Amino acid sequence: MKKVERINIIMRYINNRSHFTISEIMQEFNISRSTAIRDIKEIEAMGMPLVSETGRDGGYFVMQNSVLPVVRFTDNEVKALFIAFMATRNQQLPYLKSRQSLAEKLLGLVSENQQDDLVLLYRILLFEGTNPNNPDLLELSDLPHPMLEKLIQILLLDRYLLITIKEEKVVKSYPVYLLHLYQEKSLWLIEGFDLKEEKKKIVPVDHLINVTPYPKKKRLSKKKILEKLSKQEEDINLVLELGPKAIAQFKKYHPLKVSISYTNPYQTTALLKTFVNVKNTEELTEITNWLLFLGVDIKVREVPEEVLEGLQERLNLYCP
């Protein structure tokens, strides 16, 4: 019997008795005294209100008028949850207030020993973006955009949206079918299909000033949207294999539309596939600069001639 399964069964056994001893646990579950004691301590750490009695007939009893928590966590599970809350405070994630209240409820659910461990972790762990002099102080840049939660709430009901954005004092509205809502380079982005222009559009949530469901009479079906998107897919003309050093560089900076797929479980190698519009001078220059930024830990499977020429020109400048 696995440890987790055994502890769950012991908890049910204990909860159905007003009093029990270590010997009874040993006999009932055919385990050693040391194993029984360890299991009892772990059950106490999960929050089960046990009281020990000393003496010849001593043992344990469950504290009366105490309600067991519906969900019980191991020490490592509590630490994992708490560290996850800490690590995500400074990443512009939505539901910031809800995550704070969840952390408070988590503290109230666990034992005093677990609480002491969490307080210690809070003091010694610092994550990127944390102010070491005042970890509770969040910069304005760390706060999620006020429209983000509203956007998510609407998305749960409807992905056909009328989004209104403000760019350089100009207000525009677009009807879109939302494909993805994602975070890239500390920015939340809406990737959607523009229902009027019938093409893919990426809009920063920071520019959003309003969002409402789009009227049903004016909608395209999801099937037609996917068909139009498949016809518009650009041919991939840049394929790279990335090693660990190139992956590290990729994580530091990469163009918004570029992504990688890992090719081994250890995430030390990856494949990059994208389309480069060689007719766009700015895009061509950007991709050339970025490939040089990735470094030598790459293998080229496929690359446009224009990109190769740009790379050669840049290298000639450094090594004439």
PDB file of all heavy atoms in Angstrom, residues 32-60:
ATOM      1  N   SER A  32       5.082  -0.897  11.317  1.00  0.00           N
ATOM      2  CA  SER A  32       5.961  -0.814  12.477  1.00  0.00           C
ATOM      3  C   SER A  32       5.585   0.380  13.350  1.00  0.00           C
ATOM      4  O   SER A  32       4.842   1.269  12.925  1.00  0.00           O
ATOM      5  CB  SER A  32       7.420  -0.684  12.031  1.00  0.00           C
ATOM      6  OG  SER A  32       7.613   0.566  11.379  1.00  0.00           O
ATOM      7  N   ARG A  33       6.134   0.386  14.582  1.00  0.00           N
ATOM      8  CA  ARG A  33       5.847   1.484  15.506  1.00  0.00           C
ATOM      9  C   ARG A  33       6.364   2.813  14.941  1.00  0.00           C
ATOM     10  O   ARG A  33       5.666   3.828  15.009  1.00  0.00           O
ATOM     11  CB  ARG A  33       6.500   1.193  16.865  1.00  0.00           C
ATOM     12  CG  ARG A  33       6.191   2.264  17.917  1.00  0.00           C
ATOM     13  CD  ARG A  33       6.782   1.902  19.259  1.00  0.00           C
ATOM     14  NE  ARG A  33       6.425   2.895  20.258  1.00  0.00           N
ATOM     15  CZ  ARG A  33       5.263   2.930  20.916  1.00  0.00           C
ATOM     16  NH1 ARG A  33       4.343   2.025  20.659  1.00  0.00           N
ATOM     17  NH2 ARG A  33       5.018   3.863  21.805  1.00  0.00           N
ATOM     18  N   SER A  34       7.592   2.799  14.390  1.00  0.00           N
ATOM     19  CA  SER A  34       8.168   4.042  13.860  1.00  0.00           C
ATOM     20  C   SER A  34       7.337   4.581  12.685  1.00  0.00           C
ATOM     21  O   SER A  34       7.117   5.796  12.569  1.00  0.00           O
ATOM     22  CB  SER A  34       9.612   3.809  13.419  1.00  0.00           C
ATOM     23  OG  SER A  34       9.681   2.799  12.426  1.00  0.00           O
ATOM     24  N   THR A  35       6.842   3.665  11.829  1.00  0.00           N
ATOM     25  CA  THR A  35       6.000   4.084  10.704  1.00  0.00           C
ATOM     26  C   THR A  35       4.681   4.671  11.213  1.00  0.00           C
ATOM     27  O   THR A  35       4.206   5.695  10.705  1.00  0.00           O
ATOM     28  CB  THR A  35       5.728   2.914   9.761  1.00  0.00           C
ATOM     29  OG1 THR A  35       6.957   2.421   9.243  1.00  0.00           O
ATOM     30  CG2 THR A  35       4.835   3.332   8.604  1.00  0.00           C
ATOM     31  N   ALA A  36       4.103   4.038  12.231  1.00  0.00           N
ATOM     32  CA  ALA A  36       2.842   4.523  12.792  1.00  0.00           C
ATOM     33  C   ALA A  36       3.012   5.927  13.386  1.00  0.00           C
ATOM     34  O   ALA A  36       2.167   6.810  13.171  1.00  0.00           O
ATOM     35  CB  ALA A  36       2.337   3.554  13.864  1.00  0.00           C
ATOM     36  N   ILE A  37       4.119   6.128  14.097  1.00  0.00           N
ATOM     37  CA  ILE A  37       4.366   7.435  14.712  1.00  0.00           C
ATOM     38  C   ILE A  37       4.572   8.500  13.639  1.00  0.00           C
ATOM     39  O   ILE A  37       4.033   9.623  13.735  1.00  0.00           O
ATOM     40  CB  ILE A  37       5.595   7.357  15.655  1.00  0.00           C
ATOM     41  CG1 ILE A  37       5.256   6.498  16.879  1.00  0.00           C
ATOM     42  CG2 ILE A  37       6.025   8.763  16.094  1.00  0.00           C
ATOM     43  CD1 ILE A  37       6.444   6.210  17.773  1.00  0.00           C
ATOM     44  N   ARG A  38       5.337   8.151  12.587  1.00  0.00           N
ATOM     45  CA  ARG A  38       5.547   9.112  11.490  1.00  0.00           C
ATOM     46  C   ARG A  38       4.241   9.473  10.814  1.00  0.00           C
ATOM     47  O   ARG A  38       3.980  10.635  10.495  1.00  0.00           O
ATOM     48  CB  ARG A  38       6.529   8.534  10.458  1.00  0.00           C
ATOM     49  CG  ARG A  38       7.994   8.635  10.862  1.00  0.00           C
ATOM     50  CD  ARG A  38       8.896   8.474   9.643  1.00  0.00           C
ATOM     51  NE  ARG A  38       8.671   7.214   8.957  1.00  0.00           N
ATOM     52  CZ  ARG A  38       9.333   6.078   9.240  1.00  0.00           C
ATOM     53  NH1 ARG A  38      10.256   6.073  10.200  1.00  0.00           N
ATOM     54  NH2 ARG A  38       9.080   4.972   8.570  1.00  0.00           N
ATOM     55  N   ASP A  39       3.386   8.472  10.579  1.00  0.00           N
ATOM     56  CA  ASP A  39       2.097   8.730   9.936  1.00  0.00           C
ATOM     57  C   ASP A  39       1.210   9.627  10.798  1.00  0.00           C
ATOM     58  O   ASP A  39       0.535  10.539  10.288  1.00  0.00           O
ATOM     59  CB  ASP A  39       1.380   7.408   9.642  1.00  0.00           C
ATOM     60  CG  ASP A  39       2.011   6.639   8.490  1.00  0.00           C
ATOM     61  OD1 ASP A  39       2.911   7.205   7.833  1.00  0.00           O
ATOM     62  OD2 ASP A  39       1.615   5.477   8.248  1.00  0.00           O
ATOM     63  N   ILE A  40       1.217   9.377  12.115  1.00  0.00           N
ATOM     64  CA  ILE A  40       0.402  10.189  13.018  1.00  0.00           C
ATOM     65  C   ILE A  40       0.890  11.646  13.008  1.00  0.00           C
ATOM     66  O   ILE A  40       0.092  12.589  12.954  1.00  0.00           O
ATOM     67  CB  ILE A  40       0.444   9.628  14.460  1.00  0.00           C
ATOM     68  CG1 ILE A  40      -0.234   8.255  14.530  1.00  0.00           C
ATOM     69  CG2 ILE A  40      -0.246  10.591  15.432  1.00  0.00           C
ATOM     70  CD1 ILE A  40      -1.689   8.243  14.119  1.00  0.00           C
ATOM     71  N   LYS A  41       2.211  11.835  13.009  1.00  0.00           N
ATOM     72  CA  LYS A  41       2.766  13.196  12.977  1.00  0.00           C
ATOM     73  C   LYS A  41       2.405  13.903  11.678  1.00  0.00           C
ATOM     74  O   LYS A  41       2.105  15.103  11.669  1.00  0.00           O
ATOM     75  CB  LYS A  41       4.290  13.138  13.150  1.00  0.00           C
ATOM     76  CG  LYS A  41       4.731  12.818  14.569  1.00  0.00           C
ATOM     77  CD  LYS A  41       6.249  12.857  14.693  1.00  0.00           C
ATOM     78  CE  LYS A  41       6.677  12.597  16.136  1.00  0.00           C
ATOM     79  NZ  LYS A  41       8.162  12.604  16.276  1.00  0.00           N
ATOM     80  N   GLU A  42       2.430  13.154  10.575  1.00  0.00           N
ATOM     81  CA  GLU A  42       2.091  13.756   9.290  1.00  0.00           C
ATOM     82  C   GLU A  42       0.612  14.123   9.245  1.00  0.00           C
ATOM     83  O   GLU A  42       0.231  15.165   8.690  1.00  0.00           O
ATOM     84  CB  GLU A  42       2.449  12.799   8.156  1.00  0.00           C
ATOM     85  CG  GLU A  42       2.359  13.454   6.787  1.00  0.00           C
ATOM     86  CD  GLU A  42       3.133  12.692   5.728  1.00  0.00           C
ATOM     87  OE1 GLU A  42       4.107  12.007   6.063  1.00  0.00           O
ATOM     88  OE2 GLU A  42       2.740  12.791   4.550  1.00  0.00           O
ATOM     89  N   ILE A  43      -0.234  13.290   9.840  1.00  0.00           N
ATOM     90  CA  ILE A  43      -1.674  13.568   9.890  1.00  0.00           C
ATOM     91  C   ILE A  43      -1.931  14.813  10.737  1.00  0.00           C
ATOM     92  O   ILE A  43      -2.768  15.665  10.400  1.00  0.00           O
ATOM     93  CB  ILE A  43      -2.435  12.347  10.443  1.00  0.00           C
ATOM     94  CG1 ILE A  43      -2.436  11.221   9.398  1.00  0.00           C
ATOM     95  CG2 ILE A  43      -3.862  12.722  10.832  1.00  0.00           C
ATOM     96  CD1 ILE A  43      -2.951   9.901   9.906  1.00  0.00           C
ATOM     97  N   GLU A  44      -1.179  14.951  11.846  1.00  0.00           N
ATOM     98  CA  GLU A  44      -1.296  16.168  12.669  1.00  0.00           C
ATOM     99  C   GLU A  44      -0.878  17.406  11.880  1.00  0.00           C
ATOM    100  O   GLU A  44      -1.515  18.461  11.966  1.00  0.00           O
ATOM    101  CB  GLU A  44      -0.422  16.032  13.920  1.00  0.00           C
ATOM    102  CG  GLU A  44      -0.995  15.117  14.986  1.00  0.00           C
ATOM    103  CD  GLU A  44      -0.124  15.097  16.231  1.00  0.00           C
ATOM    104  OE1 GLU A  44       0.990  14.553  16.173  1.00  0.00           O
ATOM    105  OE2 GLU A  44      -0.564  15.652  17.263  1.00  0.00           O
ATOM    106  N   ALA A  45       0.208  17.263  11.085  1.00  0.00           N
ATOM    107  CA  ALA A  45       0.698  18.392  10.295  1.00  0.00           C
ATOM    108  C   ALA A  45      -0.303  18.822   9.245  1.00  0.00           C
ATOM    109  O   ALA A  45      -0.329  19.982   8.828  1.00  0.00           O
ATOM    110  CB  ALA A  45       2.031  18.035   9.638  1.00  0.00           C
ATOM    111  N   MET A  46      -1.162  17.893   8.790  1.00  0.00           N
ATOM    112  CA  MET A  46      -2.182  18.223   7.803  1.00  0.00           C
ATOM    113  C   MET A  46      -3.325  19.018   8.414  1.00  0.00           C
ATOM    114  O   MET A  46      -4.165  19.550   7.696  1.00  0.00           O
ATOM    115  CB  MET A  46      -2.745  16.937   7.185  1.00  0.00           C
ATOM    116  CG  MET A  46      -1.790  16.220   6.262  1.00  0.00           C
ATOM    117  SD  MET A  46      -2.561  14.717   5.600  1.00  0.00           S
ATOM    118  CE  MET A  46      -1.218  14.072   4.594  1.00  0.00           C
ATOM    119  N   GLY A  47      -3.369  19.084   9.756  1.00  0.00           N
ATOM    120  CA  GLY A  47      -4.400  19.886  10.399  1.00  0.00           C
ATOM    121  C   GLY A  47      -5.434  19.086  11.170  1.00  0.00           C
ATOM    122  O   GLY A  47      -6.378  19.668  11.706  1.00  0.00           O
ATOM    123  N   MET A  48      -5.277  17.761  11.266  1.00  0.00           N
ATOM    124  CA  MET A  48      -6.239  16.971  12.031  1.00  0.00           C
ATOM    125  C   MET A  48      -6.029  17.255  13.512  1.00  0.00           C
ATOM    126  O   MET A  48      -4.911  17.107  14.032  1.00  0.00           O
ATOM    127  CB  MET A  48      -6.064  15.486  11.737  1.00  0.00           C
ATOM    128  CG  MET A  48      -7.232  14.644  12.197  1.00  0.00           C
ATOM    129  SD  MET A  48      -7.158  12.963  11.545  1.00  0.00           S
ATOM    130  CE  MET A  48      -8.835  12.414  11.836  1.00  0.00           C
ATOM    131  N   PRO A  49      -7.080  17.670  14.241  1.00  0.00           N
ATOM    132  CA  PRO A  49      -6.927  18.113  15.632  1.00  0.00           C
ATOM    133  C   PRO A  49      -6.805  16.940  16.606  1.00  0.00           C
ATOM    134  O   PRO A  49      -7.770  16.526  17.234  1.00  0.00           O
ATOM    135  CB  PRO A  49      -8.204  18.921  15.879  1.00  0.00           C
ATOM    136  CG  PRO A  49      -9.204  18.298  14.967  1.00  0.00           C
ATOM    137  CD  PRO A  49      -8.459  17.822  13.757  1.00  0.00           C
ATOM    138  N   LEU A  50      -5.584  16.389  16.747  1.00  0.00           N
ATOM    139  CA  LEU A  50      -5.340  15.267  17.643  1.00  0.00           C
ATOM    140  C   LEU A  50      -4.754  15.757  18.954  1.00  0.00           C
ATOM    141  O   LEU A  50      -3.936  16.675  18.978  1.00  0.00           O
ATOM    142  CB  LEU A  50      -4.373  14.262  16.996  1.00  0.00           C
ATOM    143  CG  LEU A  50      -4.817  13.620  15.683  1.00  0.00           C
ATOM    144  CD1 LEU A  50      -3.750  12.664  15.173  1.00  0.00           C
ATOM    145  CD2 LEU A  50      -6.146  12.894  15.847  1.00  0.00           C
ATOM    146  N   VAL A  51      -5.139  15.117  20.049  1.00  0.00           N
ATOM    147  CA  VAL A  51      -4.606  15.420  21.373  1.00  0.00           C
ATOM    148  C   VAL A  51      -4.036  14.131  21.949  1.00  0.00           C
ATOM    149  O   VAL A  51      -4.699  13.083  21.935  1.00  0.00           O
ATOM    150  CB  VAL A  51      -5.701  15.975  22.312  1.00  0.00           C
ATOM    151  CG1 VAL A  51      -5.126  16.238  23.702  1.00  0.00           C
ATOM    152  CG2 VAL A  51      -6.287  17.250  21.739  1.00  0.00           C
ATOM    153  N   SER A  52      -2.791  14.185  22.415  1.00  0.00           N
ATOM    154  CA  SER A  52      -2.152  12.984  22.969  1.00  0.00           C
ATOM    155  C   SER A  52      -2.358  12.918  24.473  1.00  0.00           C
ATOM    156  O   SER A  52      -2.425  13.940  25.157  1.00  0.00           O
ATOM    157  CB  SER A  52      -0.652  12.989  22.643  1.00  0.00           C
ATOM    158  OG  SER A  52      -0.033  14.115  23.224  1.00  0.00           O
ATOM    159  N   GLU A  53      -2.465  11.671  24.996  1.00  0.00           N
ATOM    160  CA  GLU A  53      -2.616  11.422  26.430  1.00  0.00           C
ATOM    161  C   GLU A  53      -1.441  10.573  26.895  1.00  0.00           C
ATOM    162  O   GLU A  53      -1.084   9.584  26.245  1.00  0.00           O
ATOM    163  CB  GLU A  53      -3.912  10.675  26.719  1.00  0.00           C
ATOM    164  CG  GLU A  53      -5.174  11.463  26.418  1.00  0.00           C
ATOM    165  CD  GLU A  53      -6.420  10.630  26.673  1.00  0.00           C
ATOM    166  OE1 GLU A  53      -6.494   9.497  26.167  1.00  0.00           O
ATOM    167  OE2 GLU A  53      -7.304  11.113  27.387  1.00  0.00           O
ATOM    168  N   THR A  54      -0.826  10.963  27.993  1.00  0.00           N
ATOM    169  CA  THR A  54       0.278  10.189  28.535  1.00  0.00           C
ATOM    170  C   THR A  54      -0.235   9.198  29.574  1.00  0.00           C
ATOM    171  O   THR A  54      -1.402   9.246  29.977  1.00  0.00           O
ATOM    172  CB  THR A  54       1.310  11.121  29.195  1.00  0.00           C
ATOM    173  OG1 THR A  54       0.655  11.888  30.211  1.00  0.00           O
ATOM    174  CG2 THR A  54       1.919  12.049  28.157  1.00  0.00           C
ATOM    175  N   GLY A  55       0.622   8.286  29.994  1.00  0.00           N
ATOM    176  CA  GLY A  55       0.231   7.313  31.004  1.00  0.00           C
ATOM    177  C   GLY A  55       0.072   5.923  30.427  1.00  0.00           C
ATOM    178  O   GLY A  55       0.225   5.680  29.227  1.00  0.00           O
ATOM    179  N   ARG A  56      -0.223   4.967  31.321  1.00  0.00           N
ATOM    180  CA  ARG A  56      -0.313   3.551  30.937  1.00  0.00           C
ATOM    181  C   ARG A  56      -1.353   3.320  29.856  1.00  0.00           C
ATOM    182  O   ARG A  56      -1.150   2.547  28.935  1.00  0.00           O
ATOM    183  CB  ARG A  56      -0.635   2.722  32.177  1.00  0.00           C
ATOM    184  CG  ARG A  56      -0.634   1.235  31.922  1.00  0.00           C
ATOM    185  CD  ARG A  56      -0.878   0.465  33.203  1.00  0.00           C
ATOM    186  NE  ARG A  56      -0.921  -0.967  32.952  1.00  0.00           N
ATOM    187  CZ  ARG A  56      -1.149  -1.884  33.899  1.00  0.00           C
ATOM    188  NH1 ARG A  56      -1.343  -1.481  35.162  1.00  0.00           N
ATOM    189  NH2 ARG A  56      -1.181  -3.164  33.591  1.00  0.00           N
ATOM    190  N   ASP A  57      -2.490   3.944  29.982  1.00  0.00           N
ATOM    191  CA  ASP A  57      -3.569   3.755  29.003  1.00  0.00           C
ATOM    192  C   ASP A  57      -3.633   4.929  27.999  1.00  0.00           C
ATOM    193  O   ASP A  57      -4.684   5.188  27.429  1.00  0.00           O
ATOM    194  CB  ASP A  57      -4.925   3.645  29.721  1.00  0.00           C
ATOM    195  CG  ASP A  57      -4.973   2.442  30.650  1.00  0.00           C
ATOM    196  OD1 ASP A  57      -4.385   1.403  30.274  1.00  0.00           O
ATOM    197  OD2 ASP A  57      -5.567   2.558  31.735  1.00  0.00           O
ATOM    198  N   GLY A  58      -2.491   5.610  27.858  1.00  0.00           N
ATOM    199  CA  GLY A  58      -2.473   6.796  27.006  1.00  0.00           C
ATOM    200  C   GLY A  58      -2.655   6.468  25.531  1.00  0.00           C
ATOM    201  O   GLY A  58      -2.563   5.318  25.095  1.00  0.00           O
ATOM    202  N   GLY A  59      -2.892   7.465  24.774  1.00  0.00           N
ATOM    203  CA  GLY A  59      -3.080   7.313  23.330  1.00  0.00           C
ATOM    204  C   GLY A  59      -3.416   8.662  22.731  1.00  0.00           C
ATOM    205  O   GLY A  59      -2.870   9.682  23.131  1.00  0.00           O
ATOM    206  N   TYR A  60      -4.323   8.646  21.802  1.00  0.00           N
ATOM    207  CA  TYR A  60      -4.734   9.885  21.127  1.00  0.00           C
ATOM    208  C   TYR A  60      -6.253   9.939  21.052  1.00  0.00           C
ATOM    209  O   TYR A  60      -6.929   8.901  21.011  1.00  0.00           O
ATOM    210  CB  TYR A  60      -4.184   9.943  19.701  1.00  0.00           C
ATOM    211  CG  TYR A  60      -2.691  10.017  19.596  1.00  0.00           C
ATOM    212  CD1 TYR A  60      -1.917   8.869  19.654  1.00  0.00           C
ATOM    213  CD2 TYR A  60      -2.043  11.242  19.417  1.00  0.00           C
ATOM    214  CE1 TYR A  60      -0.542   8.922  19.548  1.00  0.00           C
ATOM    215  CE2 TYR A  60      -0.660  11.310  19.301  1.00  0.00           C
ATOM    216  CZ  TYR A  60       0.085  10.147  19.375  1.00  0.00           C
ATOM    217  OH  TYR A  60       1.446  10.214  19.263  1.00  0.00           O
TER     218      TYR A  60
END
